[in-house]
Amino acid sequence: MKQKQVALASITIFGAKGDLTYRKLIPAFYNLFISHHLPSTFSIFCVDFLAVDDAGYRDWLLEGVNEFSRTGRADAQKWTEFAARITYVQGDFMKKETYSTLKGQIQKFEDKQQQRGVRMFYFAVAPRFIEVIADALCNQKLCNRDTLDRIVVEKPFGTDLDSARKLNRYLSKRFKEKQIYHIDHYLGKEMVQNILAFRFANHVFEPLWNNQYIDHIQISVAEEVSVGRRGGYYDSSGALRDMIQNHLLQLLCIIAMDCPKAYEAEAIRDAKIKVLKSTRIYNTEQVFKNVVRGQYAAGVVGGQPRRAYREEEQVKPDSTTETFVAARFFIDSERWKGVPFFLRTGKNMAKQSTTIMIQFKESPHKIFKDDITPNQLIISIQPELEIGLLFEGKVPGLHMKLLPMEMDFMYKDAYIESLPEAYEALLLDVLDGEATQFMRADQIEWAWKVVMPILNAWEKSPKKQLQSYESGSWGPTAANAILKPFAKEWFRLNHEPLSELAPATTTANAQTTAANAEVTAAT
């Protein structure tokens, strides 16, 4: 449960001129301010190396709020009150003087209030600055009270298991685990948080949540966007690191976890890591039988032409980096033995959509000849925010004829108020010292352990089974083949476009027919 809201807080954002601050952080803090969720007394210190004056910087932030805030354009009076709490601190992250200046500003703020408040430090910076900033905060004693001071670290947290371990050790020597908040904005989404309530507050579902009743589970995060201006970063990362290792494995944990002992941070995180520890680790041969990777070619998304991945800015013309992954995972636990979890993500796909589909086993006693559609529980995280249950029912009339029907819950029908953005929920949790929706260090390392064999296999054979899919499609055809014999194709909401999967063409010497045959044979 959340702690009592603090009365005084100093909030520091490193990377004050970055896109994350402009699009997400300041709009989130502003919305928390106007909804009276921020502490009664607070100050925001924004640190970056560019020389800008406070007034000009605040005007720039206002543009971001007006464009990206869920509440629309900022109210002039409220923005003036909020902006008065923002101070720009110019300084190089690599220089000691930057942190001396920041320390002076924070102490001046706290001295004025005659109180030592909560200190929050948000690392909205490139990964190479994490250790530098952490070291400076430790040396300057800016973040030295484990009950009051917190750091927030964005993904990517390491680039592989070894780098994640080293970074965990580095931070753990300077801060207590309770001070470190590894943020994954997916965990702050309203529907993701609702999954816990749905599962553990409704006894009608939890007894069915096991291999006796569930046939398979699909977790799909489809993105309409291309890599855009992130080509330089993405080409050294790829979809497996960028999405599977964190977002999708976290969704898997929430779906697959056992009921925690209490709604309390450590109990929930213990339940999640139990899932990761039970997830089957593949050898190289199993990787190519259970994982499909693709790279988008030119096409059309939302009526707009899109170029191929290899034609994007800062992307190597012969790149083998994947922009699409479909994988089959197994959790070797008593609850889930034999139940496949299918995870899929890709860029430049037909529609922006995040869905979880739990398919139940067929009726054990089929007394109706048209009882052919298994029950499905559908959780749409974005953009629809809905939960639906598909079941068979009788069509009105004189004869017994069955058709699938759906019971549906949608946020837009049940609530009129605007839902908070994920960052609003997570930032408030940090200020309140609530770590439930944040990953623990051991969770991060175990997630890397799950994906490392896949990364290693691809590194050894960078061109093997790398397939091309047309932008605006749902991915390569082998993504369907990997579902067999549990399903013929990936689940799509009824109102999603019916664009077929792209015919998988030969990319980087990967023969599609051979790839599809190998995937099908593996099932």
Side-chain angles (χ1 to χ4, degrees), residues 12-246:
T12 300
I13 302 174
F14 295 103
K17 285 289 289 180
D19 193 56
L20 179 63
T21 301
Y22 181 76
R23 294 167 58 98
K24 295 294 184 181
L25 299 184
I26 291 300
F29 280 124
Y30 172 73
N31 286 332
L32 289 173
F33 171 73
I34 64 176
S35 60
H36 308 291
H37 284 100
L38 284 183
S40 55
T41 305
F42 70 93
S43 188
I44 301 177
F45 301 97
C46 299
V47 186
D48 217 317
F49 70 95
L50 295 173
V52 296
D53 62 274
D54 273 3
Y57 180 66
R58 290 167 182 163
D59 289 343
W60 178 74
L61 293 179
L62 177 58
E63 293 175 5
V65 171
N66 286 339
E67 183 174 357
F68 297 108
S69 170
R70 66 178 172 84
T71 55
R73 296 184 65 84
D75 177 88
Q77 181 177 346
K78 291 178 180 177
W79 172 256
T80 299
E81 295 175 8
F82 175 75
R85 318 285 188 98
I86 299 174
T87 301
Y88 185 80
V89 180
Q90 181 190 359
D92 189 330
F93 300 147
M94 307 298 291
K95 294 183 178 179
K96 181 180 178 181
E97 307 89 80
T98 300
Y99 305 94
S100 299
T101 302
L102 175 63
K103 184 175 183 178
Q105 294 273 19
I106 292 176
Q107 288 182 335
K108 181 180 178 182
F109 165 69
E110 291 177 341
D111 289 345
K112 184 177 180 180
Q113 308 303 323
Q114 297 182 331
Q115 183 181 352
R116 173 61 156 83
V118 166
R119 294 178 182 178
M120 171 181 170
F121 299 92
Y122 201 110
F123 291 31
V125 297
R128 67 180 184 274
F129 292 118
I130 293 176
E131 293 184 8
V132 173
I133 295 173
D135 196 50
L137 293 179
C138 182
N139 291 337
Q140 290 282 344
K141 293 183 170 50
L142 273 162
C143 189
N144 61 340
R145 295 196 184 181
D146 58 12
T147 58
L148 290 175
D149 303 336
R150 296 113 201 211
I151 66 170
V152 185
V153 184
E154 276 276 351
K155 77 172 188 73
F157 196 83
T159 57
D160 55 22
L161 178 58
D162 286 342
S163 60
R165 280 173 172 166
K166 290 176 182 176
L167 188 51
N168 275 336
R169 286 197 294 266
Y170 191 91
L171 294 179
S172 66
K173 291 179 180 178
R174 289 156 179 80
F175 311 103
K176 298 289 181 62
E177 174 69 36
K178 64 193 286 187
Q179 293 180 269
I180 305 170
Y181 289 74
H182 304 97
I183 191 168
D184 182 342
H185 75 275
Y186 260 68
L187 298 183
K189 291 181 178 294
E190 184 69 30
M191 185 58 78
V192 174
Q193 295 190 56
N194 199 13
I195 293 173
L196 288 180
F198 181 84
R199 282 194 57 193
F200 302 123
N202 298 291
H203 189 59
V204 66
F205 294 109
E206 189 59 19
L208 307 178
W209 219 262
N210 54 63
N211 57 6
Q212 184 177 351
Y213 298 99
I214 292 178
D215 181 74
H216 73 277
I217 294 173
Q218 297 181 24
I219 302 175
S220 180
V221 179
E223 298 183 284
E224 284 185 340
V225 297
S226 65
V227 299
R229 293 178 297 176
R230 299 173 69 229
Y233 156 74
Y234 199 90
D235 208 36
S236 61
S237 175
L240 189 70
R241 286 185 172 96
D242 192 50
M243 296 293 290
I244 299 287
Q245 187 272 336
N246 41 76

Side-chain angles (χ1 to χ4, degrees), residues 290-302:
N290 290 282
V291 185
V292 171
R293 58 175 169 157
Q295 187 183 93
Y296 63 77
V300 178
V301 180

Side-chain angles (χ1 to χ4, degrees), residues 342-353:
F342 297 102
L343 275 58
R344 177 184 70 166
T345 186
K347 289 192 176 295
N348 263 358
M349 296 183 73
K351 178 181 172 59
Q352 188 87 6
S353 178

Side-chain angles (χ1 to χ4, degrees), residues 36 60 73 79 121 191 258 313 339 353 378 419 493 512 516:
H36 308 291
W60 178 74
R73 296 184 65 84
W79 172 256
F121 299 92
M191 185 58 78
D258 292 334
E313 295 178 15
V339 177
S353 178
I378 302 110
L419 294 175
L493 293 171
T512 298
N516 287 348

